[in-house]
Amino acid sequence: MSSKKPQTIAAAQKTNFTKVHGLPDITPLVSSVQETPEPIPTTVKGTIPTWIHGSLLRNGPGKFEFGNQHYNHWFDGMALMHRFQIEDGQVTYRSRFLCSDSYTQNSERNRIIVSEFGTLALPDPCKNFFQRFLSRFEMPKPTDNASVNFVKYKGDYYVSTETNYMHRVDPDTLESKQKVDWSKFIAVNGATAHPHFDPDGTAYNMGNSYRNKGAFYNIIRVPPERDGPEDTLEGAKILCSIAPRDKSKPSYYHSFGMSENYVVFIEQPIKMDLFKTVTGRLRGKSLNEGMDFPWSPYETSRQLFFRRLLHFNQLICISLQEMPVKYYTKALSTFHQINAFEQDGFLMLDMCCSDDGQSINNFLIQNLRQSGEALDEMYNTMSRPFPRRFVLPLNITSETLLEQNLNTRPDSTATAVCRTKNQVFCTFEDLHGEDLKDYGGLEFPHINYARYNTKPYRYYYGCGFRHLVGDSLIKMDLESKKFKVWRQPDLYPSEPVFILSPNAVEEDDGVILSVIITPVKDKSTFLLVLDAKTFEELGRAEVPVNIPYGFHGVFNSSA
């Protein structure tokens, strides 16, 4: 190994990015708004297909301060749920703050009572000095501010974050119905807001547990059946527990991959230091300050495989078997997988990746509210997310040749080299052409999930990031690696959601829904409807309210 100190990966990659200048100030996109609890009409321009029946449900932060105390991180803002109801070519809109304990307690005291990911709640000023001192020795309590996504278990909708708490909500009124604690059903301390689903409604998720022997990653199954109307997570089961490489510093993960027969977990070098987490209140540090980024060109990310096994007895149950082979790649960070599927003895894992782990810290409120040269400088020093494919050989045996590329798929530039009998080192291939760099890469990926999740597919959709938030919508063709773009000045689209059209034959027969907001004109939000095939605008529904930039959502069909 060379003794010369290498250039950091982020610095090495920056020269491949298109630098930008004069980025607009987007402060209004990350500012507090009022809720709209009763439905209001919108103004439709163009045509919204009459075959669309249902509602786009969106989640994200909507309040960033209480009294004179402000949150530090974008992820900390109080959950604001949105509903765009679409019927007969018309659209109504409503929104409601989640009545979480965090929101309620903060509102009652008009200050931040509950700590969030990037904000440590200060001791109660009404307590005496000794009481305030002792409060620093209290264990941190997880927030129930479920601001990340809408998820569905057993036919019910929940809003979710990454702690052990979710809230069951009414998808029509957005009213909070029930606070649900994962740890009351299985031994986990949280779960992701990005479960996967089998066609029968069975849900799979991942969550951490913290035990005397350290941390473990857990793969979770939630059955689709329910015994009664009040049933929530009854029947949930941990299928497999996996030890991190360092049990005192498990990796952070936002999602995971799943193919027809495998669950794929990415262990990335974004570490949660459990000692720092437990002692954070004593040290006056928030959760995000307990994360480590041990990044170097010699650091690796580990991809773990777990075979999904079907056992038929009186009842069908599913367990998991950890595969002996571990797959490694150079250090990367990922928030979202695009798809994973098996073909010809390989597993294709597609995901949006960055070359450093600092993206979490990019979303501090003070960064998102930068302007002028400071904003340009920060954006131009960021590592940007790009869609990539890893081709992972499944049939590794003691006879497999070492130090040879095992990827025999034609037209694929990814490599997979068996270094030992149970370690394969992989490099990726780009799922894009060079011109995607002019759009800042791609995140918030979406596919025709109902028909093509875990299967070979041709198209994916996402947001281009020529700013700190998405500023374009992109449709990528994997066969040609060419893409179509919807982009207009000063307009910032949310994650695209694909809706399959009736009697659809081709993969892209349908529409794309995205919520568009702007920082330059008050109350100028609209719901955009694009033809998924041509990527041309069909219509828009203008909403006379302000909406902040959010995270994720789903379409709830009423057809």
Side-chain angles (χ1 to χ4, degrees), residues 319-330:
S319 63
L320 283 159
Q321 174 186 345
E322 184 172 353
M323 304 299 290
V325 178
K326 305 295 186 292
Y327 299 81
Y328 295 84
T329 183
K330 75 171 187 176

Side-chain angles (χ1 to χ4, degrees), residues 221-507:
R221 175 184 183 263
V222 180
E225 306 87 7
R226 58 191 307 164
D227 296 328
E230 299 304 314
D231 199 359
T232 57
L233 297 176
E234 283 81 2
K237 180 181 178 182
I238 292 177
L239 302 180
C240 184
S241 296
I242 314 107
R245 283 190 276 191
D246 183 344
K247 289 186 179 181
S248 67
K249 294 182 179 180
S251 287
Y252 170 78
Y253 56 95
H254 184 71
S255 61
F256 63 100
M258 189 176 82
S259 69
E260 184 176 1
N261 294 294
Y262 297 88
V263 170
V264 189
F265 169 62
I266 311 300
E267 188 177 45
Q268 56 190 350
I270 303 176
K271 305 291 187 179
M272 298 180 292
D273 188 315
L274 298 187
F275 177 78
K276 290 181 179 179
T277 298
V278 171
T279 62
R281 193 171 181 87
L282 176 63
R283 297 180 299 110
K285 302 293 184 181
S286 56
L287 284 175
N288 69 315
E289 294 178 282
M291 302 185 81
D292 290 339
F293 305 91
W295 224 269
S296 80
Y298 310 117
E299 187 70 34
T300 59
S301 294
R302 185 169 64 150
Q303 304 177 20
L304 304 179
F305 271 43
F306 305 90
R307 183 186 293 274
R308 296 202 281 164
L309 300 176
L310 296 179
H311 298 284
F312 295 91
N313 204 324
Q314 289 184 332
L315 296 173
I316 297 178
C317 64
I318 298 181
S319 63
L320 283 159
Q321 174 186 345
E322 184 172 353
M323 304 299 290
V325 178
K326 305 295 186 292
Y327 299 81
Y328 295 84
T329 183
K330 75 171 187 176
L332 59 81
S333 69
T334 179
F335 275 93
H336 302 110
Q337 280 75 50
I338 304 171
N339 200 2
F341 63 93
E342 302 152 44
Q343 194 174 54
D344 302 327
F346 296 92
L347 188 147
M348 272 55 71
L349 177 64
D350 299 348
M351 54 188 177
C352 296
C353 306
S354 297
D355 288 316
D356 72 29
Q358 295 296 328
S359 56
I360 290 177
N361 290 331
N362 293 336
F363 298 123
L364 293 170
I365 294 294
Q366 65 181 16
N367 291 341
L368 292 167
R369 293 177 178 172
Q370 294 266 28
S371 61
E373 293 182 0
L375 175 60
D376 292 347
E377 181 180 358
M378 188 185 66
Y379 177 79
N380 288 326
T381 56
M382 287 169 47
S383 180
R384 300 171 200 172
F386 285 92
R388 296 167 176 171
R389 171 172 291 176
F390 291 89
V391 179
L392 310 176
L394 295 173
N395 302 316
I396 304 295
T397 69
S398 58
E399 304 299 319
T400 300
L401 295 176
L402 302 182
E403 301 300 332
Q404 292 191 22
N405 182 15
L406 303 177
N407 178 16
T408 57
R409 289 176 61 84
D411 303 321
S412 173
T413 59
T415 66
V417 176
C418 202
R419 296 279 173 84
T420 69
K421 64 180 181 180
N422 58 7
Q423 289 190 0
V424 178
F425 190 84
C426 304
T427 66
F428 62 84
E429 62 179 292
D430 290 326
L431 294 182
H432 62 88
E434 287 293 308
D435 46 356
L436 185 63
K437 294 177 180 178
D438 294 334
Y439 290 87
L442 181 143
E443 247 293 354
F444 290 144
H446 206 274
I447 63 169
N448 181 345
Y449 189 96
R451 291 194 180 179
Y452 289 89
N453 186 51
T454 77
K455 297 178 175 64
Y457 69 113
R458 179 173 176 178
Y459 302 107
Y460 66 87
Y461 311 87
C463 287
F465 271 73
R466 199 177 165 89
H467 207 304
L468 299 181
V469 298
D471 72 334
S472 62
L473 291 168
I474 291 173
K475 174 191 179 180
M476 184 68 70
D477 184 337
L478 286 173
E479 289 187 2
S480 65
K481 293 188 178 177
K482 295 182 178 180
F483 58 89
K484 301 178 186 294
V485 180
W486 183 94
R487 186 173 188 268
Q488 294 184 13
D490 298 318
L491 296 182
Y492 296 85
S494 71
E495 168 192 63
V497 174
F498 177 87
I499 306 176
L500 192 68
S501 64
N503 305 314
V505 175
E506 298 184 326
E507 180 181 341

Side-chain angles (χ1 to χ4, degrees), residues 111-144:
R111 69 181 187 88
I112 296 173
I113 299 292
V114 182
S115 296
E116 299 291 340
F117 174 70
T119 304
L120 181 69
L122 299 175
D124 188 345
C126 296
K127 293 182 178 180
N128 61 41
F129 173 80
F130 185 64
Q131 289 173 322
R132 294 198 300 271
F133 174 74
L134 287 181
S135 69
R136 291 190 176 275
F137 293 88
E138 296 174 356
M139 287 292 290
K141 297 178 181 179
T143 180
D144 68 334

Side-chain angles (χ1 to χ4, degrees), residues 153-167:
Y153 294 107
K154 301 184 180 183
D156 285 335
Y157 279 100
Y158 296 78
V159 285
S160 175
T161 180
E162 296 176 342
T163 69
N164 53 306
Y165 294 119
M166 299 189 298
H167 285 264

Side-chain angles (χ1 to χ4, degrees), residues 523-539:
K523 298 181 179 180
S524 297
T525 302
F526 61 91
L527 176 67
L528 175 68
V529 184
L530 297 179
D531 184 317
K533 186 177 292 292
T534 65
F535 229 52
E536 294 179 355
E537 180 174 337
L538 298 175

